[in-house]
Amino acid sequence: ARHTLLRHEGIETVSYATQSLVVANGGLGNNVSRNQLVPVLEKCGLVDALLMPPSKPYSFVRYKTAEEAKEAYVTLNGKEIVDDLGQKIILYLNFVEKAQWKELGLQALPPGLMVVEEIISSEDEKILLESVNWTEDIDNHNGQKCLKHRRVKHFGYEFHYENNNVDKDKPLPGGLPDIWDSILEKWLKEGFIKHKPDQLTVNQYEPGHGIPAHIDTHSAFEDEIVSLSLGSEIVMDFKHPDGVTVPVMLPRRSLLVMTGESRYLWTHGITPRKFDTVQASKGHRSGIITSDVGDLTLSKRGIRTSFTFRKVRQTPCNCSYPLVCDSQMKETPPSFPESAREASQ
Ligand code: AKG
């Protein structure tokens, strides 16, 4: 195990007792949460710090004293615990000089992106969730579909995943459900949205579901796209073409507003998985998941229903991002992220 840690992860272990240990198999990357690990570690002494790097199958613990760390090494090395999925795993501990992790640079939200918390009350959340009739016969008034990774329903206009566009000449009968009228009016009045949407996509994600990274087709929809998260929180990943990825927490009952660069240039998507890596401290609900490894844990996903509102565009897009704008491109290059979207569902 010591060789593997060094060879694959560059973690150098030492053969003498220190205050700090690497806990192999006790990481967020193999479904062990902070809440689960802390009590196990605290049985051996006072935990001074627990660093849990995102997606890694190990963590680092620093005890107040080397004696406590020694006690942990003796007691916990080879100990079986149960992970967040209920599976048994064996912890392997080794001393390290220092509990440390290379912090990634500070990240900011993609420009033009906003998360408005508590935009809907719990009572309204219940009513809105109940208003979606998923059992209705698929005579396809609302383009209801069961995709591989989620259920969807469209109102106003059907979204066609084959070409990532809407048929502007064929609005769906009935428009948006009446229940949204007063809510959209309120969001307009309060300035969260600037124009009244005429298209709604409802997505329902079970734990383990997701949506491939994509940019909503520029020629199909206006600038502002908003998505209301009900039922459960989720982490959505935003990716800039240069490779920077920013994971953003969308709390339950929050509204994600994407405009400008975040709508036109960055892809957004949800990785299909059962747990998200989130901030452990309670004060930190929405927005970016920082790289503070001393404050990360896992959150079990629940069923999330999102309501994405858009306004269908009637004139070509003339945004400032011509390289990713289908209105301004001569031909759609095959590598355009969305062309692979439904194929990978
Ligand atoms: C889409 O339907 O294109 C989405 O991006 C849905 C986003 C969400 O679930 O919030």
Side-chain angles (χ1 to χ4, degrees), residues 201 203 205 211 214 216 227 236 268 304 306 308 310 341:
T201 300
N203 284 287
Y205 306 83
I211 185 167
H214 64 281
D216 286 59
S227 187
M236 186 177 271
H268 59 279
R304 168 179 180 264
S306 70
T308 304
R310 312 168 176 108
R341 182 170 167 195

Side-chain angles (χ1 to χ4, degrees), residues 156-158 160 165-172 312-314:
Y157 292 84
E158 178 166 6
H160 297 286
N165 219 318
V166 288
D167 194 340
K168 294 177 189 171
D169 304 324
K170 276 205 202 131
L172 293 167
V312 169
R313 188 188 280 283
Q314 303 298 345

Side-chain angles (χ1 to χ4, degrees), residues 114-302:
M114 179 168 79
V115 181
V116 189
E117 286 192 55
E118 307 266 329
I119 191 135
I120 291 281
S121 68
S122 311
E123 296 75 44
D124 286 349
E125 177 187 42
K126 194 162 176 283
I127 297 168
L128 291 168
L129 285 173
E130 281 168 4
S131 75
V132 188
N133 183 357
W134 290 106
T135 57
E136 173 175 271
D137 195 22
I138 312 183
D139 58 357
N140 235 323
H141 272 339
N142 297 112
Q144 179 168 326
K145 286 211 172 62
C146 248
L147 301 177
K148 194 166 146 215
H149 285 299
R150 63 192 199 280
R151 288 204 283 188
V152 297
K153 217 169 154 123
H154 302 289
F155 297 90
Y157 292 84
E158 178 166 6
F159 186 82
H160 297 286
Y161 291 99
E162 317 81 72
N163 61 358
N164 295 308
N165 219 318
V166 288
D167 194 340
K168 294 177 189 171
D169 304 324
K170 276 205 202 131
L172 293 167
L176 303 200
D178 294 345
I179 195 165
W180 291 102
D181 263 359
S182 56
I183 295 170
L184 294 173
E185 283 304 335
K186 188 161 172 264
W187 293 353
L188 274 167
K189 222 163 95 196
E190 287 171 359
F192 298 128
I193 55 175
K194 279 172 209 66
H195 42 234
K196 197 156 181 186
D198 53 12
Q199 197 275 335
L200 164 62
T201 300
V202 188
N203 284 287
Q204 191 170 72
Y205 306 83
E206 305 262 347
H209 283 177
I211 185 167
H214 64 281
I215 301 173
D216 286 59
T217 309
H218 290 203
S219 64
F221 304 112
E222 292 286 350
D223 181 5
E224 190 177 65
I225 294 175
V226 300
S227 187
L228 177 69
S229 297
L230 298 185
S232 188
E233 65 187 24
I234 213 154
V235 172
M236 186 177 271
D237 294 316
F238 287 82
K239 200 164 175 182
H240 188 276
D242 72 8
V244 173
T245 301
V246 179
V248 177
M249 159 60 84
L250 306 179
R252 181 174 177 176
R253 295 191 283 109
S254 71
L255 185 72
L256 165 73
V257 183
M258 293 179 273
T259 60
E261 190 178 312
S262 66
R263 179 265 181 267
Y264 286 129
L265 187 62
W266 294 60
T267 64
H268 59 279
I270 296 169
T271 308
R273 59 184 172 215
K274 296 206 164 124
F275 292 88
D276 281 316
T277 299
V278 302
Q279 289 325 135
S281 54
K282 286 285 170 253
H284 208 113
R285 294 306 304 140
S286 69
I288 50 164
I289 310 295
T290 68
S291 46
D292 177 2
V293 291
D295 185 39
L296 291 181
T297 190
L298 294 178
S299 157
K300 197 166 196 284
R301 282 190 185 167

